[in-house]
Amino acid sequence: MEKNYVALITAAGDSRRIGGEKKELIKVDGKAIIYYAALSFVKTELFKAIFITCQPELEDEFRKSLEELTSSNIIKFVPGGKTRQESVFFGLKAMEYLNPEIVLIHDGARPFVTENLIKNIFDGTLKYGACAPLIPVVDSVKIVENNSIVGHPRRQTLMGIQTPQGFTYPEIFECHKKAKNIEKSFTDDTEIYSLCGKNIHIADGERGNIKITYPDDMKICIKHRK
């Protein structure tokens, strides 16, 4: 029986921290950032479909940027929401007709995700039901209130989380439905998954799997592609 494994790539943000230019559509070596992010998922050959959220008015540009990948009909586009959380919910709802078993959720602004990382998260999700990549925090972290340091958490207990994050589809969809009724802004899907009292297995992330957020990040992106 064919397995229904899908991926969801979010790319509906406003890119305000990078100056307003739609970062997933910025080209490096002739290809848009979203192309590199999606390509690694396609190359794994694990997924029946890859859903990409974007602003409806930019869908044509996204299609053009991904035309080499859309010819296989594996890429599906979903109108994004006002927040990342809402966009993910719309993406999960859009794929419901496929009755997926597992979904990996990834940031479209992480173009350096590797096939190896995707496969590791996929394997962890198959085994544990949920899996996310983390990397140790190298800087000391402080708690700040009113422009003053008020807390000094131990760095050894802190880790930085990345995407893709993998989940059993019915469970993460139910958790997102629950989160819609809570007046809170959730930072990522593991936080939403925790609402259902589920454990999330951790896997090693990759230092190179950076998220393009600020203008200086583009310098890293260009250097990486050379």
Side-chain angles (χ1 to χ4, degrees), residues 32-81:
I33 284 175
I34 188 65
Y35 173 86
Y36 296 115
L39 179 62
S40 292
F41 283 85
V42 172
K43 290 171 70 174
T44 66
E45 299 184 343
L46 289 171
F47 304 100
K48 183 175 184 178
I50 299 171
F51 290 76
I52 297 178
T53 65
C54 64
Q55 294 99 325
E57 65 272 18
L58 294 178
E59 183 176 324
D60 287 344
E61 291 185 55
F62 272 87
R63 286 186 180 276
K64 185 176 180 180
S65 296
L66 294 166
E67 59 187 354
E68 292 181 22
L69 305 179
T70 55
S71 59
S72 65
N73 293 321
I74 192 174
I75 304 291
K76 316 290 183 183
F77 293 95
V78 181

Side-chain angles (χ1 to χ4, degrees), residues 110-182:
R110 291 185 187 269
F112 306 132
V113 61
T114 64
E115 293 174 63
N116 185 63
L117 179 59
I118 294 169
K119 289 177 180 177
N120 285 344
I121 299 303
F122 176 83
D123 289 342
T125 305
L126 275 179
K127 185 173 182 179
Y128 299 102
C131 186
L134 288 96
I135 57 174
V137 173
V138 295
D139 295 322
S140 293
V141 178
K142 305 299 178 182
I143 300 173
V144 175
E145 294 180 4
N146 299 320
N147 294 321
S148 296
I149 295 174
V150 298
H152 309 268
R154 293 178 62 246
R155 187 175 61 194
Q156 292 81 354
T157 65
L158 301 173
M159 299 191 80
I161 196 162
Q162 302 180 327
T163 66
Q165 299 172 4
F167 307 92
T168 303
Y169 171 79
E171 294 183 345
I172 188 62
F173 194 22
E174 284 304 311
C175 293
H176 262 274
K177 290 177 183 177
K178 184 176 181 179
K180 278 176 63 66
N181 298 318
I182 299 175

